Amino acid sequence: MTADRAQTLVWDWTIRLFHWLIVLLIPLMWWTAEEGMMDWHRRLGLTMFALILFRLVWGVIGSWTARFVPMIKRLRSVPAYVRGLIACRNGPSFGHSPIGSLAVFALLAALSIQVGTGLFSVDVDGLESGPLAILISFKTGREIADFHELNFNILVALVALHIIAVAIYRFVLKDDLVRPMVTGRRGDVEPVSTVKVRPMALIASVVIVAASLYAIINAG
């Protein structure tokens, strides 16, 4: 292993921060909902909205391994990649593997639906509601709230599958996916592109998120 390869940056700091904040927020949001701490649930929901929106924007204008286009291209290789995994043939990827790309899109879709429905949800008594529930009827808000609960179960299932997959990679395929998500670096891949946080792209992403948050908070 060369010194250069040992220092290969795979994940920029924004992706790593996003990942671990999501890991923290999901159980916190579940707990605040279960305990009826709806003020905190709304605050955490808006934080989740900001993170998801940032990730979606960053998937277009961010660093190479954060972008969606390379991941979409890798989806075509999912069947062949899965056959390789079954045969315990696993080559490290610079960025998301084909099945990792599929997992990213599934989790982002579930998280986006969870946040989106939360913005419009209304509780049974109509006392607690999302910041955009004022734009729809009570009946529609209740229907969305039911779907919000259903989608959370789907999200939990996807998270469980993700954890199981990470464990399989670690203990069966001998590929540690957690450490690179902490350090950002891998020593067993050849770089395809430079992973770099461009200041203007970061500023643009933050501005879009801040403007969207402002619009939602002041919608009522």
Side-chain angles (χ1 to χ4, degrees), residues 88-212:
C88 290
R89 297 192 307 270
N90 174 54
S93 301
F94 180 75
H96 291 290
S97 66
I99 199 167
S101 300
L102 186 62
V104 167
F105 289 126
L107 285 165
L108 280 178
L111 286 166
S112 297
I113 291 171
Q114 192 66 18
V115 171
T117 53
L119 294 175
F120 293 91
S121 293
V122 179
D123 73 352
V124 177
D125 301 318
L127 299 177
E128 301 288 351
S129 60
L132 298 183
I134 192 173
L135 302 177
I136 58 177
S137 67
F138 174 79
K139 179 182 178 182
T140 301
R142 286 301 305 142
E143 292 172 347
I144 291 176
D146 291 338
F147 190 72
H148 184 69
E149 293 183 15
L150 173 63
N151 185 73
F152 182 74
N153 295 328
I154 296 173
L155 176 60
V156 169
L158 290 173
V159 170
L161 284 174
H162 179 64
I163 294 172
I164 291 170
V166 170
I168 291 173
Y169 270 86
R170 176 65 181 87
F171 297 108
V172 178
L173 301 172
K174 307 302 180 184
D175 187 356
D176 186 357
L177 301 180
V178 176
R179 183 182 294 274
M181 193 52 69
V182 175
T183 66
R185 299 181 181 276
R186 291 192 64 145
D188 53 0
V189 294
E190 294 288 352
V192 175
S193 179
T194 301
V195 175
K196 184 179 181 181
V197 175
R198 294 174 297 141
M200 291 307 297
L202 181 61
I203 292 171
S205 301
V206 171
V207 168
I208 291 172
V209 171
S212 300

Side-chain angles (χ1 to χ4, degrees), residues 3-54:
D4 288 339
R5 290 184 67 190
Q7 297 300 316
T8 299
L9 182 63
V10 177
W11 306 116
D12 71 59
W13 65 268
T14 68
I15 289 297
R16 286 176 278 143
L17 182 61
F18 167 82
H19 178 275
W20 295 114
L21 286 176
I22 292 296
V23 169
L24 178 65
L25 279 175
I26 290 176
L28 280 177
M29 292 195 66
W30 169 82
W31 183 70
T32 53
E34 288 294 305
E35 295 296 320
M37 302 169 63
M38 299 312 296
D39 286 343
W40 275 105
H41 190 72
R42 278 191 293 271
R43 294 187 188 104
L44 293 174
L46 288 172
T47 303
M48 180 76 81
F49 168 82
L51 288 172
I52 296 300
L53 181 57
F54 176 86

